[in-house]
Amino acid sequence: MSSLAQKHVQQTAELSKNLETMTEAHSKASRDLQTLIAKQHDLSLRWKLDTQGLTSHYERQMSDCRAQIAKLQERIIEYEDAVRWEAKGRKEAAGQVEMERRMVEKARAAMRSLEEKCERLLQQNEELVKRGDATLSEKKILERDVDRLKLEIARLERERTKQRSQPPTHRPILRYDDGSSDSETNIKALKAEIERVKNRSRARDSPGIETLLRLREAGHHGRESYGRSRTSSGSSTGGDLSGSS
């Protein structure tokens, strides 16, 4: 009995010791678990706060990026519109330049034709002036011939009147008749010559002496103005070409 009791006491002491050891170990494990749980709670709370901060920060950045993207899209649309307008303006400017170039070519062709026409007109005017000078000189000659013929007719008339005023006794009949027939023939011939000279003068004066004189003056002024216009047109054409180039 005593050995059993002693053994029972020993076992009880060992079990008590083991229980205390296990209790202490369990308590220590519980405290460690509570500490770990507290630390995990703190870490979870900190992670949650950090996550919320990062989320709000990146959301703000995403909002800013979306706003910048919208602005950039608007600017891209504006630039595309500006590029289209610029292309349209360049196309219109090219068309206008082409039209102005054609107008300049037409103006140059018209100027060349006008210059050729002016040259022909100046040549015709010079020919008319030359013909007018010849006509004037010939008219002066014809006027001198007419004056001479008039003087001759007046002289013959005076001689005829003088012969008629003489008495019949002092002039021979035959000589008077011969002189009378000769003077009448001469008068008729002179009158016919005067008429012929007048007709030639009228035929020569078909353009008109005054008209020829005006043409002569106009030709002189026309040559001067044409030379000035060619000089000014040459300088303006050179300026246009330099400006267009």
Side-chain angles (χ1 to χ4, degrees):
M1 282 294 291
S2 60
S3 60
L4 288 172
Q6 188 178 359
K7 188 178 180 179
H8 179 72
V9 170
Q10 288 178 354
Q11 289 179 353
T12 303
E14 289 177 1
L15 290 172
S16 296
K17 188 177 180 180
N18 290 332
L19 180 62
E20 288 177 1
T21 303
M22 292 296 293
T23 302
E24 288 177 1
H26 180 70
S27 297
K28 186 178 180 181
S30 297
R31 286 193 301 270
D32 292 338
L33 288 173
Q34 287 177 358
T35 304
L36 289 173
I37 289 169
K39 289 180 178 180
Q40 187 177 4
H41 180 71
D42 293 337
L43 288 173
S44 298
L45 183 61
R46 187 180 297 174
W47 180 80
K48 184 178 180 180
L49 292 174
D50 293 338
T51 303
Q52 289 178 355
L54 290 173
T55 301
S56 61
H57 175 70
Y58 285 116
E59 284 180 354
R60 286 194 301 271
Q61 286 187 353
M62 290 294 292
S63 299
D64 294 337
C65 289
R66 290 191 187 97
Q68 290 180 2
I69 288 170
K71 290 181 180 179
L72 289 174
Q73 287 178 352
E74 292 178 357
R75 292 181 66 182
I76 287 169
I77 293 171
E78 292 177 357
Y79 288 153
E80 288 177 351
D81 293 336
V83 168
R84 283 195 295 272
W85 281 106
E86 184 70 21
K88 185 178 179 181
R90 287 184 179 180
K91 187 176 180 181
E92 291 178 355
Q96 188 175 1
V97 168
E98 182 66 22
M99 183 176 66
E100 289 179 356
R101 187 183 66 78
R102 292 178 181 176
M103 290 175 65
V104 168
E105 292 295 332
K106 289 181 180 178
R108 286 178 180 174
M111 187 179 292
R112 285 194 294 269
S113 63
L114 287 174
E115 287 178 355
E116 292 175 357
K117 188 175 181 180
C118 288
E119 289 290 342
R120 290 194 298 270
L121 290 175
L122 288 174
Q123 291 177 359
Q124 292 177 2
N125 192 13
E126 290 176 357
E127 291 177 358
L128 289 174
V129 168
K130 290 178 182 179
R131 288 176 59 186
D133 293 335
T135 304
L136 287 174
S137 61
E138 189 172 356
K139 184 178 180 183
K140 289 179 181 179
I141 294 171
L142 293 175
E143 286 177 352
R144 287 196 295 270
D145 293 337
V146 168
D147 293 336
R148 183 178 58 77
L149 291 173
K150 286 181 179 180
L151 292 174
E152 187 68 22
I153 289 171
R155 186 181 64 77
L156 292 174
E157 288 289 338
R158 287 195 300 272
E159 289 180 357
R160 185 176 180 184
T161 303
K162 184 177 179 181
Q163 288 178 1
R164 287 181 179 178
S165 64
Q166 291 179 359
T169 55
H170 295 284
R171 57 182 181 181
I173 300 294
L174 295 174
R175 186 181 295 175
Y176 175 76
D177 292 337
D178 294 337
S180 175
S181 62
D182 292 337
S183 62
E184 289 179 357
T185 303
N186 290 330
I187 289 170
K188 289 179 180 180
L190 290 173
K191 286 182 177 181
E193 183 68 20
I194 289 171
E195 290 296 328
R196 185 177 65 79
V197 170
K198 286 182 179 180
N199 291 328
R200 287 177 62 189
S201 178
R202 291 192 192 97
R204 293 292 184 180
D205 291 341
S206 59
I209 300 302
E210 295 179 357
T211 304
L212 290 173
L213 289 173
R214 287 196 296 271
L215 285 173
R216 186 176 184 179
E217 294 178 356
H220 181 67
H221 293 296
R223 283 191 294 271
E224 292 180 353
S225 62
Y226 177 65
R228 289 194 299 270
S229 66
R230 288 192 66 181
T231 304
S232 61
S233 64
S235 62
S236 63
T237 306
D240 293 336
L241 290 173
S242 64
S244 63
S245 63

